[in-house]
Amino acid sequence: MEQKHTISVLVENHAGVLSRVAGLFSRRGFNIDSLAVGETRNSEVSRITIVVNGDDYTVEQVSKQLNKLVDVIKIKVLDDNEFVGRELLLLKVKATAKQRAEIIQLVDIFRANIVDVSKETVTVEVSADQDKINALTGLLEPFGILETVRTGLVAIQRGSDCVE
Amino acid sequence: MIMSGAQAVVTILEKHGTDVIFGYPGTAISPFYDKLLESSIKHVLVRYEQGAVHAASGYAKTTDKVGVCVATSGPGATNLITGIATAYMDSVPIVAITGQVLTSQLGKDVFQEADITGATAPFCKHNYLVKDVSNLPRIVNEAFILASTGRPGPVLIDIPMDVLKAEVDYLDDFVFDIPGYQYEFEIDKEAINKACKAINKAKKPLIIAGGGIISSGSKEILHKISKEFSIPVTYTLMAKGCLDDTYDLNLGMLGSHGTLVANKAVSQCDVLLVAGGRVGDRSMSNSSGAYLKKTVIHIDIDPAELGKNISVDIGLHGDAKDILMAIYSQLEKINRDKWFENKKTVEALDSNFKVSKGCVDPKDVLTCIASLSDDDAIYTTEVGQNQIWAANLIELLTSNKFVTSGGMGTMGYGLPASVGCKIGNQDKQVIVIEGDGSLQMSLQELGTIMQEDLDIKIVLFNNSSLGMVRELQTLKYDKRYSGVCLTKNPDFIKLFSSYGFAGSRLTNKENIEEQVKKMLSYKGTYLLECVVDKDNPTIYR
């Protein structure tokens, strides 16, 4: 059954590692939903969080093939509901002086922030899971969204378990 | 000790026991070639860079050493790609070294610049672009370990010219430390127990031997398991020679070009032990369902192969030899009713195909060669009908070696590979099975054979066509022959004689034995051109 899987990958922080990982996905025919990279506390190690769409066979192959990359140190397929996942969204929406208050109200309900205001626009920042981000986007749609910028998902396991 | 990057590379090659490298020079790799002059390492100048990788592959497969090849930047490097991909598919340990433009010029599209690490990433076990000379010794050392351990494969090191020239403090104190790479594996005892229980209960067990049997040195233990517990064996193309072909429990090769008995056994067995093979689509396809309704036990050193191509009930990750030894100690001697036929010839060879006048049957030629060649002769093949005939018709002993491009199916592999085989095994007979299509893809390597004064026996099946594709067009395209006719071939014997090689042409059955004897006893490279009927099939119906 096709579904989304979130994979946490620790890699050596070398030039070209990201292209190896991305290249592996394209040539083996795996579909990346989102991908986010950043350094860990150890500057020699980066973490890539990948969301992949596929069945159990696909996710097994993804992790086994990733494991074969010499630069890949560790892989963990995160169990659903066992992790906290967040995406960051920056959203620029049309806002006249009259509409601003209403937008601010919505932003407050979602515990999002206003990070920029101009005469005709408001820019909103929200960090949340995908559903919440989609909900806020939906509510702001009627005002006229000008642009959105969204990161891939980053995820961390709940409780004391770590991928280190 | 302070030395240049180039000198450090040469020093580490020597340290790893490299006695020969195959290559082609150019500007960017020149600092390396300069240092090579003072080394004991022999350099074999090929005629085309692809030949250097294939030669290194033939060398690696017949010497248990890592094959090393060298090329310059840009076109030199890109010409290696097909060879590297071929080695990758067949898990051959190779270190490829390429020169690169100056680090300050990288990414500027300067003369003879190509992103070879980017281009070969899909076909390399690992590759490196070395921008800092202080990393160079560690990287070259790592490359040898990566190439030869675990599932072997090609590793490429791309070295800019300024890095080769720069000075480095060479300390001979390498620590191999790649946190994400392991090559020693614990055996999963529980899984072994499960596998042994399944085999002990089996009424119709069967082993499929893959290339891992050869590369892990498991021929002997395979034979012991088969013989002592009466388990028949079929093999993939990469494992030809894993058992004597005359051994009565050896059912021959399986798959689309395999023997009927082997394929029948695969579908009828109740427990299938796949040992050291990835079970490629030419051997057994998941869609055929041949693996269904049986217990499949799969041994592989690459865990990604377990469950990739066929569904597996018990996966055993590790070195085939270690695992087979562990299995051997737990198997029970059981009297099983014989459930398979062990007539392993390609049955339909007795089909009604009649060879026309002026032609010989590859079957007769290969049978004769197999019976008259040395017990430790090394065979290489090209890709096409010649390869399938060789795989099915040459009866090998475990002391023989069979070197072929299985996964990639690279035409033009056999001739340059034979160069590596011969250079690594000067005292052994090296016999190349050729087709007229494949031969002309690596023809230039005759120059290498001439210059190195090698003694290679070249058996050319000349049917003036690209026989394998022609056969496909016969069977699947209603005999509409498109692009497969080599209507104007050169006179190969004259061509070979211009290189100083002897040769003769076989056009009738009566002369086969005499001509084969003449070829095998001749001192030097010899072409035996066998004129073959265009319609002579590999698949018999």
Side-chain angles (χ1 to χ4, degrees):
Chain A
M1 196 186 66
E2 295 243 336
Q3 63 178 76
K4 281 184 184 173
H5 301 269
T6 305
I7 307 173
S8 192
V9 188
L10 293 178
V11 299
E12 297 208 43
N13 197 358
H14 291 163
V17 176
L18 188 60
S19 87
R20 279 181 216 275
V21 170
L24 188 142
F25 275 78
S26 70
R27 75 173 167 273
R28 298 249 175 215
F30 306 139
N31 291 321
I32 299 181
D33 229 58
S34 80
L35 185 148
V37 202
E39 239 178 45
T40 61
R41 281 187 302 161
N42 177 350
S43 64
E44 287 175 9
V45 178
S46 293
R47 183 191 303 271
I48 308 181
T49 309
I50 304 169
V51 180
V52 57
N53 212 354
D55 54 15
D56 290 349
Y57 170 83
T58 307
V59 77
E60 185 186 326
Q61 269 296 306
V62 167
S63 51
K64 281 177 166 178
Q65 295 294 346
L66 280 172
N67 238 326
K68 279 171 70 171
L69 295 179
V70 170
D71 290 324
V72 168
I73 301 166
K74 193 168 182 183
I75 293 171
K76 170 104 191 195
V77 181
L78 304 178
D79 282 341
D80 282 346
N81 310 321
E82 293 289 311
F83 64 86
V84 180
R86 291 287 181 270
E87 290 177 22
L88 176 71
L89 168 78
L90 296 173
L91 178 150
K92 193 178 286 179
V93 61
K94 278 192 208 161
T96 58
K98 265 195 216 159
Q99 291 171 315
R100 224 176 267 152
E102 198 183 337
I103 290 172
I104 291 170
Q105 218 176 10
L106 283 171
V107 165
D108 282 345
I109 295 168
F110 278 84
R111 286 188 210 140
N113 298 312
I114 306 255
V115 290
D116 188 55
V117 183
S118 72
K119 278 183 192 158
E120 291 101 24
T121 65
V122 164
T123 300
V124 180
E125 171 207 32
V126 60
S127 148
D129 61 27
Q130 221 172 39
D131 292 346
K132 200 167 154 187
I133 284 182
N134 290 343
L136 178 60
T137 311
L139 287 168
L140 292 173
E141 197 79 61
F143 297 93
I145 294 174
L146 295 168
E147 187 178 14
T148 60
V149 181
R150 200 163 164 172
T151 66
L153 184 84
V154 292
I156 195 162
Q157 283 172 291
R158 291 184 187 277
S160 55
D161 287 351
C162 299
V163 184
E164 292 231 59
Chain B
M1 202 163 84
I2 304 290
M3 59 173 75
S4 70
Q7 183 60 56
V9 176
V10 172
T11 306
I12 299 166
L13 292 184
E14 287 170 345
K15 185 180 141 75
H16 281 278
T18 303
D19 47 12
V20 56
I21 62 177
F22 305 89
Y24 207 104
T27 308
I29 194 70
S30 287
F32 171 80
Y33 270 84
D34 186 61
K35 294 299 170 203
L36 206 54
L37 284 175
E38 280 113 51
S39 163
S40 60
I41 298 171
K42 176 187 169 69
H43 177 261
V44 175
L45 176 64
V46 294
R47 295 299 185 265
Y48 177 56
E49 288 90 347
Q50 189 185 115
V53 200
H54 292 333
S57 165
Y59 178 84
K61 282 184 176 181
T62 53
T63 59
D64 297 326
K65 283 189 186 173
V66 174
V68 181
C69 58
V70 184
T72 195
S73 65
T78 54
N79 279 347
L80 295 177
I81 294 177
T82 301
I84 289 174
T86 304
Y88 184 67
M89 287 289 261
D90 290 343
S91 309
V92 186
I94 281 176
V95 170
I97 297 170
T98 50
Q100 181 55 281
V101 300
L102 302 174
T103 41
S104 59
Q105 294 177 330
L106 281 169
K108 307 264 169 66
D109 297 326
V110 296
F111 179 66
Q112 292 197 329
E113 180 186 2
D115 173 14
I116 196 63
T117 46
T120 56
F123 318 115
C124 278
K125 187 167 170 184
H126 194 50
N127 63 22
Y128 299 89
L129 168 60
V130 190
K131 288 186 182 170
D132 180 348
V133 72
S134 67
N135 293 327
L136 184 59
R138 169 184 61 80
I139 285 172
V140 180
N141 187 58
E142 265 175 25
F144 272 87
I145 297 171
L146 287 174
S148 57
T149 56
R151 180 177 182 172
V155 178
L156 180 135
I157 314 168
D158 193 27
I159 317 173
M161 191 162 64
D162 52 320
V163 174
L164 285 171
K165 284 182 180 166
E167 286 192 332
V168 61
D169 189 7
Y170 178 87
L171 304 164
D172 196 26
D173 61 347
F174 300 108
V175 181
F176 181 80
D177 178 28
I178 300 182
Y181 184 77
Q182 282 170 346
Y183 57 90
E184 274 163 357
F185 312 107
E186 291 258 324
I187 292 183
D188 180 350
K189 286 194 179 127
E190 211 171 297
I192 300 255
N193 290 343
K194 247 174 97 182
C196 291
K197 261 188 206 155
I199 300 170
N200 285 334
K201 271 202 301 200
K203 289 199 170 69
K204 303 171 178 179
L206 176 72
I207 298 174
I208 295 180
I213 294 293
I214 310 277
S215 54
S216 66
S218 306
K219 289 177 184 178
E220 231 171 281
I221 185 72
L222 174 71
H223 180 254
K224 275 172 94 161
I225 290 176
S226 166
K227 180 105 190 151
E228 292 180 31
F229 305 103
S230 313
I231 306 175
V233 179
T234 166
Y235 54 78
T236 69
L237 180 62
M238 297 317 296
K240 185 166 173 71
C242 64
L243 293 169
D244 291 349
D245 276 316
T246 47
Y247 166 59
D248 60 350
L249 297 185
N250 183 350
L251 308 183
M253 186 169 79
L254 84 156
S256 53
H257 287 88
T259 66
L260 284 179
V261 283
N263 287 321
K264 233 194 255 174
V266 171
S267 62
Q268 287 172 356
C269 68
D270 57 359
V271 171
L272 183 62
L273 173 63
V274 182
R278 68 193 168 92
V279 206
D281 56 311
R282 292 296 161 106
S283 303
M284 192 168 129
S285 80
N286 219 6
S287 57
S288 75
Y291 67 95
L292 291 171
K293 293 183 196 157
K294 62 190 62 177
T295 307
V296 177
I297 306 164
H298 190 172
I299 303 170
D300 208 286
I301 197 153
D302 178 357
E305 293 301 344
L306 304 175
K308 188 182 93 180
N309 293 339
I310 55 164
S311 312
V312 166
D313 298 295
I314 305 167
L316 300 171
H317 171 221
D319 184 82
K321 193 174 185 180
D322 298 343
I323 293 175
L324 288 175
M325 303 275 249
I327 287 178
Y328 173 75
S329 65
Q330 288 188 41
L331 289 187
E332 290 163 15
K333 293 215 161 110
I334 294 163
N335 284 326
R336 296 187 178 94
D337 294 334
K338 192 176 163 215
W339 60 275
F340 53 90
E341 300 163 70
N342 49 9
K343 172 174 161 281
K344 66 189 174 332
T345 47
V346 183
E347 288 82 347
L349 278 185
D350 320 316
S351 77
N352 43 20
F353 173 75
K354 291 272 180 294
V355 178
S356 352
K357 201 164 178 271
C359 294
V360 288
D361 191 336
K363 180 187 178 188
D364 297 329
V365 179
L366 290 169
T367 315
C368 178
I369 292 173
S371 69
L372 294 174
S373 63
D374 294 345
D375 286 352
D376 61 356
I378 297 168
Y379 288 90
T380 77
T381 83
E382 292 293 350
V383 168
Q385 289 184 310
N386 66 83
Q387 182 184 33
I388 302 306
W389 286 325
N392 279 320
L393 302 169
I394 300 176
E395 289 204 327
L396 286 191
L397 301 171
T398 52
S399 48
N400 287 121
K401 284 193 169 119
F402 191 77
V403 176
T404 194
S405 163
M408 198 68 181
T410 305
M411 288 173 72
Y413 173 80
L415 191 67
S418 76
V419 171
C421 294
K422 188 66 191 183
I423 286 174
N425 301 271
Q426 294 282 357
D427 55 332
K428 289 185 182 155
Q429 247 174 13
V430 174
I431 303 169
V432 190
I433 310 301
E434 279 287 354
D436 50 325
S438 287
L439 175 62
Q440 293 182 84
M441 259 200 204
S442 283
L443 197 57
Q444 69 282 353
E445 297 309 332
L446 291 177
T448 313
I449 297 173
M450 183 187 186
Q451 185 165 332
E452 292 299 323
D453 206 9
L454 302 176
D455 177 347
I456 294 174
K457 308 307 183 199
I458 298 164
V459 180
L460 168 65
F461 290 119
N462 185 355
N463 54 8
S464 301
S465 55
L466 303 175
M468 197 67 159
V469 184
R470 190 181 181 279
E471 189 174 353
L472 174 78
Q473 292 177 352
T474 303
L475 299 173
K476 301 274 161 106
Y477 291 87
D478 207 17
K479 299 191 181 176
R480 287 157 53 84
Y481 298 118
S482 179
V484 293
C485 304
L486 296 168
T487 36
K488 288 194 175 170
N489 267 332
D491 181 329
F492 288 109
I493 295 189
K494 274 193 191 155
L495 182 66
F496 272 61
S497 91
S498 76
Y499 284 94
F501 304 147
S504 55
R505 189 172 288 124
L506 250 180
T507 53
N508 96 55
K509 195 175 174 175
E510 277 67 56
N511 300 336
I512 291 177
E513 192 176 330
E514 173 207 332
Q515 292 291 337
V516 167
K517 278 184 178 158
K518 194 173 157 197
M519 170 181 78
L520 293 176
S521 60
Y522 183 80
K523 294 256 174 299
T525 292
Y526 190 101
L527 172 72
L528 182 62
E529 180 184 5
C530 312
V531 180
V532 170
D533 201 306
K534 283 183 178 58
D535 290 318
N536 206 318
T538 58
I539 298 172
Y540 297 82
R541 326 220 149 223

